[in-house]
Amino acid sequence: MAWWKRIGCGFQLLLIFSLLIGTYTAWWWIDSARCDKQDEYSYHGICLMRIQERAEQGDNAAQWAYGAYLETERREQEARAWQLQAMHGARVGLALRGEMIGYCDRIPGFEARNVEAVMLRVAQNSPDAHLRLLHLYTTPRSRCSAFDLDKAGAQIPLLTQCAHFGIADYLEQAASAHHRVPPATRAAIRSNMALCEKELAGQAPPDTTAQEFMPVRREDVDALSRRLAALEP
């Protein structure tokens, strides 16, 4: 303790302050390894380094995540490059992100024909991608020129998961456009509602399957049932 007394109060305070800064910095880096506590708005430290490394190695989810991070940093050109790479590198339905529809006809490279072509390619080997196609075809024409109710209706028999929101959007758009919903499509909707009932009973699809943005609820299925009944002659 003698040396501590000899160095003076000023230097003592400097050492204490340096120790606190060093401790906080070490804690920050260690804590930054926990990606489960971060999202695209808060990526930093070790987690961010890991995401960038995985993106460079071709991990599709990491490419979407890194692109989202770059976008929040206002590095739009780099962000678009990663997002386009992620879109064209998609191999399964889960890799088809909502950004593809959100950017449709708004961002170069995400023109409707390109987004549709990627989704159709993925759907050939990953049937759960038909959910993303349903969302694409029911997106209002003012936001994406891929809007097509005939194509949307054709996706419903091919769905492998409950799609209550997507089907509700399809019925709403069909009513607005005075578009006739064919009997075969109505039957496909009823079949999909059976999948929704299974999900309500606890038989949820696996995490590797593309799903809608919110879990199914009883009131949503009941509302869809009433809307479908209203179509019956």
Side-chain angles (χ1 to χ4, degrees):
M1 294 298 296
W3 68 270
W4 178 256
K5 294 178 180 178
R6 287 198 299 268
I7 62 177
C9 291
F11 200 55
Q12 288 174 357
L13 290 174
L14 179 62
L15 285 176
I16 293 172
F17 183 73
S18 299
L19 180 62
L20 290 174
I21 292 294
T23 302
Y24 173 79
T25 302
W27 171 85
W28 187 90
W29 275 101
I30 293 171
D31 188 67
S32 74
R34 299 184 59 183
C35 285
D36 60 319
K37 295 176 60 178
Q38 304 178 37
D39 55 31
E40 62 267 28
Y41 303 107
S42 63
Y43 287 142
H44 61 272
I46 296 173
C47 176
L48 177 59
M49 294 166 61
R50 288 175 177 171
I51 289 173
Q52 181 178 0
E53 181 180 11
R54 284 166 43 209
E56 292 170 348
Q57 293 173 348
D59 184 286
N60 189 272
Q63 290 173 346
W64 280 117
Y66 191 52
Y69 161 77
L70 292 172
E71 193 169 14
T72 64
E73 292 291 304
R74 299 186 182 280
R75 295 160 62 181
E76 284 85 1
Q77 187 172 358
E78 295 176 75
R80 300 300 176 237
W82 282 109
Q83 289 161 341
L84 282 169
Q85 185 174 340
M87 179 177 77
H88 288 290
R91 295 291 180 271
V92 295
L94 199 63
L96 302 175
R97 301 301 180 92
E99 288 89 338
M100 295 172 61
I101 299 175
Y103 296 155
C104 178
D105 289 336
R106 291 178 47 236
I107 303 296
F110 287 93
E111 290 80 13
R113 64 180 181 279
N114 294 338
V115 175
E116 181 183 22
V118 170
M119 290 186 176
L120 287 170
R121 171 180 58 77
V122 173
Q124 293 177 7
N125 299 309
S126 184
D128 62 324
H130 289 287
L131 175 65
R132 297 292 181 246
L133 279 163
L134 173 63
H135 292 161
L136 178 69
Y137 293 139
T138 54
T139 299
R141 195 182 304 276
S142 59
R143 292 166 46 197
C144 180
S145 59
F147 176 83
D148 190 313
L149 292 176
D150 288 327
K151 289 183 178 180
Q155 302 307 309
I156 296 176
L158 305 174
L159 294 170
T160 60
Q161 66 284 85
C162 171
H164 55 300
F165 284 119
I167 292 173
D169 286 342
Y170 164 75
L171 293 177
E172 182 177 349
Q173 296 291 342
S176 178
H178 303 290
H179 178 87
R180 179 177 177 272
V181 180
T185 304
R186 299 179 189 182
I189 293 174
R190 284 190 288 271
S191 295
N192 190 265
M193 290 173 63
L195 293 178
C196 296
E197 291 290 346
K198 289 182 179 180
E199 189 169 331
L200 283 171
Q203 301 179 36
D207 291 339
T208 54
T209 298
Q211 301 176 44
E212 297 208 294
F213 64 95
M214 284 181 61
V216 62
R217 300 176 302 178
R218 166 55 59 190
E219 53 264 40
D220 295 323
V221 176
D222 291 344
L224 185 58
S225 179
R226 290 192 296 270
R227 180 172 287 185
L228 183 62
L231 295 176
E232 301 295 343

